[in-house]
Amino acid sequence: MSARPKLPFTIYLLGATIFSLVTAEFMVAGMMPALAEAFSVSLGEVGNLIAFYALGMALGGPPVTVLLLSRGIGSKPALVGLLAVYVLAGALAAAATSYPVLALARIIMGVSSAACIGLCMTLCAAMVSNQERGRAVSVVLAGLMLSPVAGVPLTAWIEQHHGWRASAWAVVGLALVCTLLAAMRLPKGEAGGEARLGEQIKSLRTRRLWGAYLTSGLIIGATFAAFSYCTPILIQEVGLAPGQVAPMLALYGVANLIGNMVVGRFADSHTFTALGLGLVVLVLAMSGFAVAGDNLWLNLTCFIAIGLTGVALNPAMVARVMKAAEPGALVNTLHTSVITAGLAFGSWAGGAAIEAGYGLRAPLWVGAGIALLGLLSVIRPLASRRVGASPCA
């Protein structure tokens, strides 16, 4: 039995690139008190920095992708150029002296990030055979899953010891290295390899695809309604010391990885079952976290259970989209945009609940409610699958 061929270095480079992009998006969650103090704003306003980044991804990603497809710009030059824009915006964020400047920089980072992630997936698929595509894609997406395990805790640790700007500059440095390596090492590819814009737009005209998009947006919205405010909740409600937050975030990230591996094993063959069960756990975990009170172990168990579901349901979300439509660049980018729109809404809704005076645990109830809507969105197709009526389950 012959050994499987090694994946090229560039596949791992694409994974590192996504790691830097996602870490920059989520790092705010690990340093909310520091940012609130530095800019003299509320925790809700700091939470909106995650929402601004996500809105940039949601609103900017599809137009940029359409522009690239219509102009016939190659994937490599497009990726390198957008990464350069991302690095400059990241530098602006790290040097920002006012909240509006930081918010603007985060929006620009989000716009370039959405298109970069789509281009990373396009380049990944072009560099390997069809038989190795699934393995290569999983390596690239590992960058997303490793962000909460290593990226967010590391930036939180750097912030604790050297300040939030040091964390921001560290992420900019990583993105710059990825940009330079991408320019030097990525293959140019062949022109015309991507489907034409008209064909990709036509693939969007299916209810099953938009049903998949809806569920994905609700899952991520529910997760980040809670996760965006986990640092103040863990410190002020659960009673953890600030120095204990980074290890807890790392443990949450490990739960993400474990959940991702488990869901990934069943995502293709049991797509709706994985989504349904995951959403049930998410609703119960968030509700339990909201009412845990002073029970330390119940608080931490529910927090880790959220990590085992939430973002970890990504393989099932992607599998549902791939079954609903041909996964071209526009389909994938729009999926990313819907997900980040859900993230933005969840972060905003959680912050709004705090601002309305419902307490620091209010985002957990918001998340549980959104997750319940997500569960309702899969009940019908799941029931159809049970009776053998759905060909795409």
Side-chain angles (χ1 to χ4, degrees):
M1 188 174 178
S2 60
R4 301 181 71 179
K6 290 184 178 180
L7 294 174
F9 163 79
T10 44
I11 296 295
Y12 297 92
L13 170 60
L14 295 174
T17 300
I18 289 183
F19 173 82
S20 70
L21 300 174
V22 176
T23 297
E25 182 179 4
F26 299 154
M27 63 188 291
V28 170
M31 55 184 69
M32 294 187 75
L35 288 171
E37 181 179 355
F39 291 96
S40 299
V41 295
S42 67
L43 289 175
E45 289 175 293
V46 175
N48 284 339
L49 292 173
I50 300 175
F52 290 145
Y53 191 110
L55 279 174
M57 293 184 71
L59 300 179
V64 170
T65 301
V66 168
L67 178 64
L68 294 172
L69 290 171
S70 64
R71 298 283 181 173
I73 298 174
S75 295
K76 176 181 176 177
L79 178 62
V80 172
L82 286 169
L83 282 174
V85 172
Y86 180 87
V87 169
L88 292 175
L92 178 63
T97 56
S98 68
Y99 180 84
V101 172
L102 178 57
L104 175 63
R106 295 278 297 178
I107 292 172
I108 297 172
M109 292 170 72
V111 171
S112 54
S113 175
C116 285
I117 291 174
L119 288 166
C120 283
M121 301 308 300
T122 300
L123 285 162
C124 170
M127 285 189 289
V128 296
S129 65
N130 290 340
Q131 292 75 17
E132 292 297 314
R133 188 168 292 175
R135 183 161 68 106
V137 167
S138 69
V139 170
V140 174
L141 287 180
L144 185 152
M145 302 309 301
L146 284 172
S147 175
V149 176
V152 175
L154 180 59
T155 55
W157 182 89
I158 294 174
E159 182 274 318
Q160 288 286 328
H161 293 81
H162 304 287
W164 74 268
R165 292 189 191 276
S167 290
W169 283 115
V171 173
V172 170
L174 176 58
L176 178 60
V177 170
C178 291
T179 303
L180 296 174
L181 288 174
M184 293 185 293
R185 299 294 299 272
L186 287 177
K188 291 183 179 180
E190 299 180 2
E194 185 73 19
R196 289 182 176 273
L197 177 60
E199 296 174 3
Q200 297 205 33
I201 291 177
K202 189 180 297 183
S203 67
L204 299 176
R205 300 170 184 170
T206 165
R207 289 181 59 187
R208 290 187 299 171
L209 177 63
W210 289 96
Y213 283 166
L214 174 63
T215 302
S216 295
L218 290 171
I219 289 172
I220 299 302
T223 302
F224 282 91
F227 182 75
S228 297
Y229 304 92
C230 65
T231 298
I233 292 173
L234 290 172
I235 293 174
Q236 298 181 39
E237 292 288 322
V238 179
L240 297 185
Q244 295 175 313
V245 172
M248 279 306 304
L249 290 175
L251 193 57
Y252 178 95
V254 171
N256 274 171
L257 274 179
I258 294 173
N260 181 69
M261 290 191 305
V262 173
V263 173
R265 290 181 64 88
F266 303 101
D268 286 325
S269 56
H270 301 285
T271 306
F272 284 105
T273 300
L275 289 170
L277 291 177
L279 281 162
V280 168
V281 173
L282 194 59
V283 171
L284 293 176
M286 287 189 174
S287 301
F289 199 3
V291 300
D294 296 330
N295 190 318
L296 177 63
W297 290 109
L298 180 57
N299 277 297
L300 299 185
T301 298
C302 290
F303 179 61
I304 297 305
I306 295 172
L308 287 170
T309 54
V311 174
L313 294 176
N314 184 62
M317 292 188 287
V318 172
R320 185 179 178 189
V321 167
M322 291 180 67
K323 290 176 180 180
E326 185 67 25
L330 190 55
V331 168
N332 290 332
T333 300
L334 191 55
H335 189 207
T336 300
S337 295
V338 170
I339 285 174
T340 50
L343 190 158
F345 173 76
S347 296
W348 169 82
I354 294 176
E355 293 292 309
Y358 292 108
L360 273 179
R361 291 194 192 249
L364 297 168
W365 286 117
V366 173
I370 298 174
L372 182 59
L373 292 176
L375 179 60
L376 294 176
S377 76
V378 300
I379 285 180
R380 181 176 178 181
L382 180 58
S384 298
R385 174 69 179 90
R386 292 298 186 187
V387 298
S390 174
C392 65

